[in-house]
Amino acid sequence: MNFKSIITATAIAVSLALPAAAQELAIGRINVTVPFGEGGGSDTLVRAVAPYLTKALENEPTVLIRNEPGGGGIPSTNRFARRAKSDGSDILALSSSIFLAKTLKSPQIDFQFDEFVPVFIAPMAPIFYVSPTTGARAKGDVEGMRGAQLVFGGGRQDSADIMTVLQFDLLGFDIKSVWGLERGGGRIGFERGEFNVDHQTTAAYVRSVQPLVDEGKAITFMTTGIIDPSGKIVRDPNFPDVPTFLELYQKVHDKPLSGPAYEAYLGLMGATITTGKSIVLPSSATREVVKAYSEAFSQVAGDPAFRDATKESLGGYQLYTGKDAQALWGTVTDLSPDAYAWLANWYETKVGFKLPR
Amino acid sequence: MLEAFQTLVGSSALLYLLFGALLGLFVGILPALGGAAGMSLLIPFLYGMEPAAAMAMAIGMLATVSTGDTISSVLLGVPGSASSQATVLDGFPMAKNGQGARALAAGFLSSVIGGLFGAFVLTLTLQGAKQVILWFGMPEILMMILFGVASVAALSGKSLAKGISICAFGMLAASIGFAPASGEQRLDLGLFYLSEGLPLLACVIGVFVIPEIVDLIQQNRSISDRPSLGSGMRQGVVDVLRNKWIVFRSAIVGCLVGAMPGVGGSVVDWIVYGQTVRSARDKSMFGKGDVRGVIGVESSNNAVLGGALVPTLLFGVPGSGSTALLLSALILIGIQPGPGMLTQDINLTYLMIWSLALANIIGAGTCFLFARHLAKLTLIPFAWIAPFLIVAITFATLQINRDPRDLFLILVFGAIGIAMRRFGFSRPAFLIGFVLQQNLEKSLYQTAQLYSLGEFLFRPIVLVLLAVILAVLASSVWQQLQKQPEDREEIEAIAKTRPVQFILPILLSVCFASALAMVNDLQPLGRLFPQVAAGIGLVSALILLWQLAVGTPSVLEDQRVTGPRYSISFLHTIAWVVTAVLLIACFGFFAGASLFLGAFLAFEARAKPLAIAAGVVGIMGVYLFLTFQAGTYLPDGWVLSLNPWDYY
């Protein structure tokens, strides 16, 4: 949006008293709640979507974005779950950190996953790379790395960064984790040799890690892969020749990951990757509203101009709408007591972090 | 490089740059709003803009904030933004002595020199920066942060015990919330509100701005006592040329500190001020209107941005609050900061450097040309300025988390700040503690995890920094001991109010002791840092209490006795600030602020109804326009929501 279109949008917003000729949706304005401040990942996505969404709905409603930072986005999401209108005038941008807080049973959360209906999901998967000093020579070279002391620098123990520690630990490595770093800081530490394992999202990887790989200073190691709507874990479409963690696990242990550990892994993966960036309606929304939004978002996701504009920020992954989005949503569930107990125990012994019981 | 210049000058980017630069001046002049606030106003507009235009606008805005803020610091005695707090120390007294124009001219000229120097350094370092930043591992960053902490000694004022205890208090306040090493919640009193820690901006507004506003209202100076611009523009320019070494040195420090991730612009002015005072031969005029104080600070705070852009652009690691927002802005317009800024995006990088340089020239040029008009600000009676300042800070506070509870936080820290100001506790020392806590704790823990003591002590840069820190500490402590005893009469006068002087140290001791008790059941990694901070704080607070009890002259301080006479009572003034907060919390920003403004102007300024209406409608119009433009909203009131638009 440039100045002119914002002023136009503002003018429209001011003149909202005029009744809108409702066609598909009987609303003249959509309020998008972003439970984070301006400029974050969710905010970027919503601002990218807004103009396309307006075009895709027949009466071209104005999209207003309401940022509600604070409390890791939880208070705002709670409020939305309680108070959002069912006529489609309220939608919410969710991000992986909120899903993860829910999976890890943050006591502040008082909503359930089924209180939302997804209309748009953009998965966002990390790629893992290691330093040649670990002994690794090629993608997925677990054998070469055997016996290496891995060191990883992450943000918060209860963020998606935990996946790196969990996966390398399950592969049988001794991995030490140091916390309190920004993602960019972890990579610089990697370049300085303070860390020998790191991960980045596709966009950051292509930009900052690929040059290191080309110079031989980093070895692309694995991905988590992504979950497709049928619930199957497949290789990351951006890196089809890089093995997934589960493939490596099977190779190392001669049997697939199973039991509560598998369930916990799947739960974390669903929360941090599959539904990474989603736009949802309250589940109270009527069927017509859900249908109108699903169609509008399919149109947005299919628009080459939109794909092009968001290639960098969304990493060029498949975007899910309609039934696919709802099927994917179903893969994100609360952990069973067994799996949660396993995860809590793992957290406490490996990271020294206590999950709420 | 030239190509980038042609892009900038030959396209609409130049217009955006101009707009950004003017916005930056405006934000800079408005007290309490700084680069971060300006960026958060700009970001919503950037989406979808041409990257060149967007960057020109953002950089233009950031570059001129620290030029514009000189005006309010010098003429009003209220820092225009966090980076010019130290300008007030000498700039305001100069204005009171009729040398406002001289201070401003010196400030503007050193600003533009500092800014250009920053742009120059940025250009140079871009070539070799990658290597340099790779040399700065965690141990080196830790030492840089310790260097910042060591400056507390120089900022403590008369009593080192006061400086250390208040710095420890800042660290303790900042360690509320998430413990980075163990991931525990600590010191949050069981409140979810505190789980993300205290918002920096709210604490800064409380400690630095509220006491100044209260003081302004209390003094209720009539127009004739207020500093006029005076003359001496030319003298100011001569001053800068005469002190070119200070300009140069401060600009270097500004760049260096700016490039330190996480330290940023809110501390650099104090570091530089301390250094300027330390290195001056004749120190007698500092704090009473020494132009060198203005020159050093202003040259450094414009140079900060050049330094801060180095890690921001090359590594995606921002050096300050406003560059953190700039980073999100870059990503927003589709640019991934990183080494790619030196290859694919080199033209954009150069364009940003040109923007930085041009904006500094535009900013200082505008200020030089319009200084006389801008100075008319000071002819407005304080009864008119104060309510608008209060509204401005509540607006800035609500912008942080959109949470009305933050308003009460600024009241709490305002009360502490008032006590600190009155009893001679260094507020910059508090801020340094508060700002550096997180980085200090993180880098201590990370360094300890990754390096053994031996490895740590055998790194050459660490050793150099260690020597510098020790030298700085030794010289400040030595200077502290050299202080001349004050005149007897004054000491005796101050000693009369000794009972109230006990209040703050006692409260601090209670805070430290209860913090020690509260963190006791955390994991060792989670409690170590607050324990050390509270422990050091407790010891120095107890020493302070003992010194007060025996009447050591260096700890006796009471601005009430030594400072200006007040014509309006303290409680009366505070009641207005509390009223503003209550009204805004109850009825939302727009309705609450309008009610407050109307009431204040009617009772305090005795304004005519028409003037009140014009004031209220005018300023609320500006805020409505800003919020609508930014597409943001402000929180609803608790009692009755009178926001102009509702969402649910």
Side-chain angles (χ1 to χ4, degrees), chain A residues 287-350:
Chain A
R287 285 182 55 184
E288 292 74 48
V289 167
V290 175
K291 190 161 161 280
Y293 268 104
S294 294
E295 277 165 15
F297 271 105
S298 314
Q299 207 176 318
V300 172
D303 188 336
F306 174 76
R307 302 279 319 188
D308 222 44
T310 54
K311 202 163 185 318
E312 285 265 316
S313 56
L314 296 182
Y317 288 98
Q318 158 107 47
L319 304 173
Y320 298 98
T321 56
K323 289 266 172 318
D324 282 351
Q326 286 162 28
L328 267 186
W329 194 262
T331 64
V332 186
T333 49
D334 287 329
L335 296 180
S336 72
D338 269 3
Y340 189 79
W342 181 89
L343 186 62
N345 181 48
W346 179 84
Y347 251 117
E348 198 158 349
T349 47
K350 291 289 159 62

Side-chain angles (χ1 to χ4, degrees), chain A residues 1-3 6-7 10 13-14 29 31-33 37-40 43-44 47-49 64-76 79-80 83-85 89-90 106 108 151 154-158 176-182 184-185 187-189 191-192 194-195 203-204 207-208 212 215 217 309-310 312-313 351-354, chain B residues 16 19 40 42-49 57 130 133-141 178-185 192 195-196 311 314-318 325 328-329 331-332 334-341 344-345 399-402 442 445-446 448-451 459 523 628-636 645-648:
Chain A
M1 241 192 273
N2 54 24
F3 269 107
I6 286 193
I7 290 167
T10 312
V14 174
R29 185 177 57 177
N31 302 309
V32 191
T33 303
E38 286 89 349
D43 187 60
T44 312
R47 285 175 200 275
V49 163
L64 279 187
I65 294 160
R66 172 183 174 122
N67 294 83
E68 298 191 329
I74 294 173
S76 168
R79 215 158 30 235
F80 183 89
R83 285 160 57 178
K85 283 188 197 141
S89 56
D90 285 323
S106 161
Q108 303 305 329
V151 187
R156 280 172 67 138
Q157 292 87 338
D158 54 359
K176 178 162 150 180
S177 53
V178 178
W179 300 96
L181 285 124
E182 305 292 328
R187 196 193 64 245
I188 296 183
E191 289 189 48
R192 283 194 297 246
E194 287 166 334
F195 306 121
R207 203 60 173 221
S208 322
L212 296 179
E215 287 171 50
K217 290 180 182 159
T310 54
E312 285 265 316
S313 56
V351 199
F353 179 80
K354 284 196 184 74
Chain B
Y16 284 103
F19 175 82
S40 45
L42 265 191
I43 279 184
F45 298 108
L46 298 180
Y47 196 82
M49 274 175 71
M57 186 158 83
K130 193 155 185 212
I133 293 197
L134 290 184
W135 282 334
F136 270 70
M138 284 170 181
E140 286 77 18
I141 290 176
F178 189 83
S182 66
E184 293 163 295
Q185 289 296 333
F192 184 54
S195 67
E196 281 207 331
L314 285 187
F315 297 96
V317 176
L325 288 168
S328 4
I331 297 169
L332 198 74
I335 296 160
Q336 191 74 38
M341 298 299 293
Q344 301 106 295
D345 291 325
Q399 279 285 321
I400 315 166
N401 282 332
R402 322 281 149 83
K442 279 182 191 170
Y445 145 75
Q446 289 160 356
Q449 291 275 305
L450 296 176
Y451 293 85
R459 295 173 72 95
Q523 293 178 36
F628 258 128
Q629 284 285 291
T632 68
Y633 80 108
L634 289 169
D636 294 338
W645 54 89
D646 66 325
Y647 280 85
Y648 289 120

Side-chain angles (χ1 to χ4, degrees), chain B residues 89 146-164 167 267 269-279 283 286 424-430 432 468-481 483:
Chain B
L89 292 189
L146 284 175
F147 180 59
V149 175
S151 59
V152 166
L155 297 171
S156 289
K158 286 197 294 180
S159 155
L160 201 57
K162 281 185 181 175
I164 293 175
C167 174
V267 210
D269 53 335
W270 295 111
I271 295 179
V272 165
Y273 189 78
Q275 193 194 32
T276 311
V277 175
R278 257 201 314 277
S279 64
K283 301 183 190 1
F286 280 105
F425 286 81
S426 162
R427 289 179 289 164
F430 166 85
I432 285 193
V468 172
I469 293 172
L470 290 178
V472 166
L473 275 180
S475 84
S476 345
V477 171
W478 192 76
Q479 291 193 354
Q480 201 100 42
L481 297 175
K483 290 244 165 78

Side-chain angles (χ1 to χ4, degrees), chain B residues 149 152 162-176 186-187 197-200 203-204 207-208 413 416 420 425-438 440-441 508 511-512 529-530 533-534 536-537 540:
Chain B
V149 175
V152 166
K162 281 185 181 175
I164 293 175
S165 59
I166 208 69
C167 174
F169 178 66
M171 289 199 175
L172 206 58
S175 56
I176 290 174
R186 65 185 174 198
L187 297 171
L198 297 171
L200 168 70
C203 296
V204 171
V207 166
F208 280 88
F413 276 89
I416 300 172
M420 279 158 69
F425 286 81
S426 162
R427 289 179 289 164
F430 166 85
L431 185 66
I432 285 193
F434 195 99
V435 174
L436 292 186
Q437 180 276 332
Q438 268 224 330
L440 180 60
E441 178 173 13
L508 286 176
C511 271
F512 291 133
F529 188 91
I536 293 177
S540 46

Side-chain angles (χ1 to χ4, degrees), chain B residues 380-402:
Chain B
I380 308 170
F382 277 118
W384 273 89
I385 296 180
F388 292 101
L389 286 184
I390 294 176
V391 169
I393 61 171
T394 54
F395 182 78
T397 308
L398 286 175
Q399 279 285 321
I400 315 166
N401 282 332
R402 322 281 149 83

Side-chain angles (χ1 to χ4, degrees), chain B residues 142-458:
Chain B
L142 173 64
M143 295 311 282
M144 291 294 274
I145 297 170
L146 284 175
F147 180 59
V149 175
S151 59
V152 166
L155 297 171
S156 289
K158 286 197 294 180
S159 155
L160 201 57
K162 281 185 181 175
I164 293 175
S165 59
I166 208 69
C167 174
F169 178 66
M171 289 199 175
L172 206 58
S175 56
I176 290 174
F178 189 83
S182 66
E184 293 163 295
Q185 289 296 333
R186 65 185 174 198
L187 297 171
D188 63 358
L189 313 174
L191 299 174
F192 184 54
Y193 172 64
L194 293 177
S195 67
E196 281 207 331
L198 297 171
L200 168 70
L201 195 58
C203 296
V204 171
I205 287 175
V207 166
F208 280 88
V209 187
I210 293 217
E212 302 309 319
I213 294 181
V214 168
D215 186 62
L216 287 179
I217 303 178
Q218 278 193 278
Q219 291 187 28
N220 189 31
R221 278 171 295 171
S222 62
I223 296 166
S224 54
D225 314 338
R226 211 102 45 63
S228 67
L229 187 55
S231 57
M233 279 272 194
R234 190 163 304 154
Q235 179 61 36
V237 174
V238 173
D239 287 330
V240 173
L241 297 179
R242 204 170 279 159
N243 291 294
K244 46 189 176 301
W245 171 232
I246 294 182
V247 177
F248 184 58
R249 190 186 55 200
S250 307
I252 295 177
V253 175
C255 280
L256 276 179
V257 176
M260 282 160 59
V263 181
S266 45
V267 210
V268 70
D269 53 335
W270 295 111
I271 295 179
V272 165
Y273 189 78
Q275 193 194 32
T276 311
V277 175
R278 257 201 314 277
S279 64
R281 213 164 288 143
D282 173 18
K283 301 183 190 1
S284 59
M285 283 307 287
F286 280 105
K288 295 174 196 144
D290 191 313
V291 76
R292 288 172 296 179
V294 177
I295 291 175
V297 172
E298 284 305 313
S299 148
S300 70
N301 65 16
N302 279 59
V304 163
L305 187 57
L309 284 176
V310 175
T312 312
L313 295 182
L314 285 187
F315 297 96
V317 176
S320 66
S322 47
T323 46
L325 288 168
L326 181 72
L327 190 70
S328 4
L330 276 168
I331 297 169
L332 198 74
I333 55 173
I335 296 160
Q336 191 74 38
M341 298 299 293
L342 290 180
T343 51
Q344 301 106 295
D345 291 325
I346 186 73
N347 261 330
L348 192 67
T349 308
Y350 281 129
L351 185 130
M352 290 168 77
I353 296 176
W354 281 117
S355 305
L356 180 59
L358 268 184
N360 268 296
I361 296 172
I362 294 173
T366 313
C367 285
F368 264 116
L369 285 179
F370 297 105
R372 301 236 153 247
H373 302 277
L374 294 167
K376 289 194 179 123
L377 270 176
T378 57
L379 294 179
I380 308 170
F382 277 118
W384 273 89
I385 296 180
F388 292 101
L389 286 184
I390 294 176
V391 169
I393 61 171
T394 54
F395 182 78
T397 308
L398 286 175
Q399 279 285 321
I400 315 166
N401 282 332
R402 322 281 149 83
D403 187 340
R405 287 175 294 185
D406 289 347
L407 292 174
F408 294 91
L409 200 65
I410 65 171
L411 284 188
V412 170
F413 276 89
I416 300 172
I418 289 169
M420 279 158 69
R421 187 181 195 274
R422 177 169 168 191
F423 301 120
F425 286 81
S426 162
R427 289 179 289 164
F430 166 85
L431 185 66
I432 285 193
F434 195 99
V435 174
L436 292 186
Q437 180 276 332
Q438 268 224 330
N439 290 295
L440 180 60
E441 178 173 13
K442 279 182 191 170
S443 63
L444 262 175
Y445 145 75
Q446 289 160 356
T447 309
Q449 291 275 305
L450 296 176
Y451 293 85
S452 71
L453 191 65
E455 286 168 337
F456 178 74
L457 287 177
F458 275 95

Side-chain angles (χ1 to χ4, degrees), chain B residues 509-573:
Chain B
S509 313
V510 172
C511 271
F512 291 133
S514 37
L516 280 175
M518 274 189 279
V519 295
N520 215 11
D521 49 354
L522 297 179
Q523 293 178 36
L525 275 180
R527 66 168 188 243
L528 188 63
F529 188 91
Q531 269 177 341
V532 172
I536 293 177
L538 187 60
V539 170
S540 46
L542 290 176
I543 293 177
L544 184 55
L545 283 172
W546 179 75
Q547 285 179 317
L548 269 175
V550 299
T552 313
S554 70
V555 299
L556 291 173
E557 198 160 341
D558 187 350
Q559 280 237 332
R560 252 320 154 72
V561 181
T562 52
R565 300 284 127 211
Y566 290 138
S567 55
I568 293 179
S569 90
F570 176 68
L571 284 178
H572 181 92
T573 317

